[in-house]
Amino acid sequence: MTTSPAAALTTVALAQPFTDQKPGTSGLRKSSRQFQTPHYLESFVEASLRVVPGVEGGILVLGGDGRFGNLAAIQTIARMAAAHGVARLITTTGGILSTPAASHLIRRHQAVGGIILSASHNPGGPEGDFGVKINGANGGPAPESITDAIYQATLTLEGYRILEADPVPLDQPGSFQLGSMAVEVIDGVSDYGALMQQLFDFDRLAALLKGDFRFAFDALHAVTGPYATQIFERQLGAPAGTVRNGVPLEDFGGGHPDPNLTYAHDLAALLLEGDAHDFGAACDGDGDRNMILGRRCFVNPSDSLAVLTANATLAPGYADGLAGVARSMPTSAAADVVAKALGLPCFETPTGWKFFGNLLDAGRITLCGEESFGTGSNHIREKDGLWAVLFWLQILAVRGCSVAEVMADHWRRYGRHYYSRHDYEAIESDAAHGLYGRVKGMLPSLVGERFAGRAIATADDFAYTDPVDGSVTQGQGLRLLLDDGSRVVLRLSGTGTQGATLRVYLESYVPPSGALAEDPQVALADLITAIDDLAQIKARTGMERPTVIT
Ligand code: VG1
Ligand code: CO
């Protein structure tokens, strides 16, 4: 054990508080440039350390996705944690810690919470984005009561406390002392691999991956590289090279670490335009998202949640069945249909993983997911990219069929929810809010009106009452529910950092007897045209087409 010499406690005064540190859908996310502003990171961390219960004398988990700014921020936060009386700080070699692995560490070590440095799927580097996410003792994203209190604290912050000390070496595991705080540097990968081994049948998966099944995993030069290499190649014996772009880079190799058809185009092309692979998957910057591809087959994330729900008992960790499922409001109702058939409770929450926390803690759900490539379960309190990939491998191994066959069989049984999300990114902020405000104002007059050949049955701004603690969250998205069960939802993103991002969610259900093999953009064409007419999207954004279509 080494003791850092010259450890002295300092209070740094702020000339004035920062007024823009309100966390969005998932933590505080800003440009790297903004985070380089002197005292900017420290302000948000100080507020968080004051607000999160139990920090003094407690255990804290700290790590990030390896992007530009990660290592420097870890050193700063470690010294601040020491100044706030944290008893033990758990951090990782190279500062590499995925969001799901952080959630697991918090729970395993009964920490009071964790600080995860990531702007998730946003690009990194000096010209990219940085972010800070605060998680609570259950391992999940802090609820709004906490993030609101943190924001309030930043608004009146007079200064912050920090220990002056040498940096903690992060190049290998070890134990250190920072003032009176113990620092443990651990390998962030092994605990997570062990957890996965409890949930899935690794012998069966190894047999699949060592056989002639061809799998390509793209880590997009983000945090899952070391985890995927450890689990797929070392633990399960997949051929070397199965994991692509597996070395985390500060700027993700200049890419956009967002596992969708636009930003993970190399993998998408490999699976959708070629026949050399049976299965493809990718995760995002911080490892909580997943994209699933089969040979010439893209699995929509809403469908993925439904398939996992329908096949859950094939995985050892879920062999006893599920307590219930939940999905975020804009996620398609594909999982609802499965839940109904299985007699399971099904919940609809606002966008953002923090809203699943209470349901998971109360044991009311086992699986949950979002249309934005997020799927997870009660094994932790975050969505979990590699978990979802392993779950799919488990299903394919047990059923012995292709991804396309799993999907076709699923739709034949439950019907198909044609679904797409159209994102209009980096719109000028006033234009986006003008568009959104106008539709919001129109809602009361829309009920009963015609829309894409159907009638509008409900038009509202989604509000949610948490069934566990009764808290109410309003303003979560404009919904047009049509009389045939189709719907269109509009939301403004809470994670973007440039201008505003409008998300348009489109959904239409076809029963098992209907046409199940259409192109979703064709099946949804009338809804796409109708919402553009109603919301004047092209005219008001000046954009001919969405930036990203999922
Ligand atoms: C987006 C997604 C949302 C997700 C959030 C955080 O939020 O739509 O479903 O929970 O990102 O994801 P928004 O407000 O931009 O729509 V992340 O992966 O991996 O921090
Ligand atoms: Co993420």
Side-chain angles (χ1 to χ4, degrees):
M1 187 175 287
T2 32
T3 304
S4 175
L9 188 64
T10 323
T11 302
V12 179
L14 291 180
Q16 58 200 35
F18 294 98
T19 55
D20 66 343
Q21 299 197 327
K22 189 175 171 49
T25 312
S26 177
L28 180 69
R29 215 169 277 195
K30 302 280 179 191
S31 66
S32 299
R33 214 168 270 284
Q34 176 90 324
F35 264 103
Q36 301 291 306
T37 309
H39 314 304
Y40 193 83
L41 170 74
E42 291 86 340
S43 161
F44 188 72
V45 171
E46 174 74 21
S48 303
L49 292 174
R50 289 188 192 182
V51 166
V52 171
V55 163
E56 194 175 344
I59 299 171
L60 196 67
V61 170
L62 174 64
D65 65 8
R67 72 178 62 218
F68 173 78
N70 190 44
L71 286 170
I74 288 176
Q75 297 295 350
T76 301
I77 296 169
R79 288 156 52 217
M80 291 183 69
H84 282 263
V86 168
R88 196 167 123 215
L89 181 77
I90 299 172
T91 188
T92 55
T93 46
I96 292 289
L97 184 61
S98 77
T99 290
S103 183
H104 178 51
L105 280 184
I106 294 168
R107 296 166 66 76
R108 195 165 116 72
H109 293 278
Q110 295 175 339
V112 297
I115 300 181
I116 305 168
L117 305 168
S118 174
S120 188
H121 50 285
N122 296 24
E127 303 305 322
D129 288 341
F130 192 75
V132 182
K133 305 198 283 183
I134 305 297
N135 283 30
N138 73 347
E144 294 208 312
S145 55
I146 297 279
T147 53
D148 286 347
I150 292 172
Y151 174 53
Q152 290 305 322
T154 61
L155 293 176
T156 56
L157 203 67
E158 72 300 333
Y160 60 88
R161 282 183 289 160
I162 188 161
L163 197 77
E164 307 234 349
D166 292 337
V168 178
L170 295 175
D171 47 343
Q172 55 182 1
S175 299
F176 305 91
Q177 198 71 27
L178 211 50
S180 57
M181 181 178 81
V183 181
E184 270 174 52
V185 180
I186 63 169
D187 157 34
V189 176
S190 53
D191 280 324
Y192 178 81
L195 175 66
M196 293 300 113
Q197 206 155 359
Q198 288 167 21
L199 299 172
F200 303 108
D201 182 347
F202 269 37
D203 290 339
R204 198 148 198 170
L205 297 190
L208 178 75
L209 293 181
K210 284 178 190 158
D212 54 11
F213 182 85
R214 284 288 157 262
F215 170 32
F217 178 83
D218 196 340
L220 299 173
H221 285 302
V223 80
T224 52
Y227 294 84
T229 307
Q230 168 68 26
I231 293 172
F232 298 133
E233 297 187 9
R234 296 204 195 101
Q235 285 177 259
L236 295 172
T242 297
V243 176
R244 294 156 183 250
N245 303 318
V247 177
L249 297 176
E250 285 205 331
D251 65 348
F252 309 118
H256 201 131
D258 198 351
N260 60 36
L261 296 175
T262 304
Y263 296 126
H265 44 79
D266 291 354
L267 183 78
L270 201 65
L271 271 292
L272 302 181
E273 291 163 23
D275 294 311
H277 291 83
D278 300 290
F279 186 62
C283 291
D284 72 332
D286 62 331
D288 56 0
R289 297 185 176 205
N290 72 92
M291 176 168 71
I292 300 294
L293 298 161
R295 184 183 299 152
R296 300 194 182 256
C297 174
F298 164 72
V299 179
N300 183 288
S302 297
D303 280 341
S304 181
L305 176 65
V307 167
L308 298 192
T309 304
N311 293 276
T313 53
L314 301 183
Y318 308 92
D320 294 338
L322 308 174
V325 294
R327 61 165 173 85
S328 67
M329 180 275 282
T331 305
S332 93
D336 303 34
V337 176
V338 178
K340 193 167 176 214
L342 296 176
L344 296 174
C346 183
F347 300 86
E348 183 179 41
T349 60
T351 294
W353 210 260
K354 58 192 168 202
F355 294 103
F356 294 131
N358 279 345
L359 293 167
L360 289 164
D361 285 349
R364 294 177 69 167
I365 58 169
T366 309
L367 298 187
C368 44
E370 296 191 277
E371 48 63 41
S372 53
F373 297 86
T375 344
S377 91
N378 61 352
H379 67 294
I380 52 170
R381 294 295 179 272
E382 289 277 7
K383 54 188 184 273
D384 191 344
L386 288 172
W387 168 90
V389 177
L390 288 164
F391 211 142
W392 266 93
L393 286 170
Q394 176 84 43
I395 292 169
L396 298 176
V398 174
R399 290 184 50 176
C401 62
S402 71
V403 175
E405 284 162 350
V406 169
M407 290 320 305
D409 176 64
H410 188 89
W411 294 328
R412 272 197 301 274
R413 190 171 304 195
Y414 299 104
R416 179 169 180 184
H417 289 77
Y418 283 103
Y419 186 84
S420 186
R421 184 175 107 179
H422 289 195
D423 294 332
Y424 296 82
E425 296 179 321
I427 314 170
E428 199 262 309
S429 193
D430 286 347
H433 287 98
L435 182 160
Y436 198 78
R438 177 175 161 275
V439 176
K440 190 171 166 179
M442 289 165 71
L443 291 174
S445 66
L446 289 177
V447 178
E449 292 294 308
R450 302 295 296 169
F451 185 91
R454 293 91 149 173
I456 299 176
T458 304
D460 66 4
D461 190 355
F462 182 63
Y464 176 67
T465 303
D466 187 303
V468 179
D469 68 12
S471 60
V472 176
T473 308
Q474 276 161 339
Q476 293 300 306
L478 311 181
R479 306 192 297 177
L480 303 182
L481 310 183
L482 310 182
D483 59 355
D484 70 340
S486 328
R487 59 176 193 157
V488 178
V489 174
L490 299 185
R491 265 187 78 248
L492 292 176
S493 159
T495 60
T497 55
Q498 287 160 26
T501 292
L502 174 70
R503 304 202 195 284
V504 181
Y505 307 85
L506 307 136
E507 174 178 347
S508 176
Y509 177 68
V510 169
S513 56
L516 299 174
E518 303 276 304
D519 173 344
Q521 300 309 316
V522 174
L524 298 166
D526 53 351
L527 294 178
I528 294 168
T529 308
I531 191 61
D532 185 54
D533 288 347
L534 182 89
Q536 303 174 348
I537 297 172
K538 284 188 192 134
R540 286 171 171 265
T541 63
M543 295 164 83
E544 263 313 298
R545 63 189 65 82
T547 348
V548 178
I549 293 181
T550 297

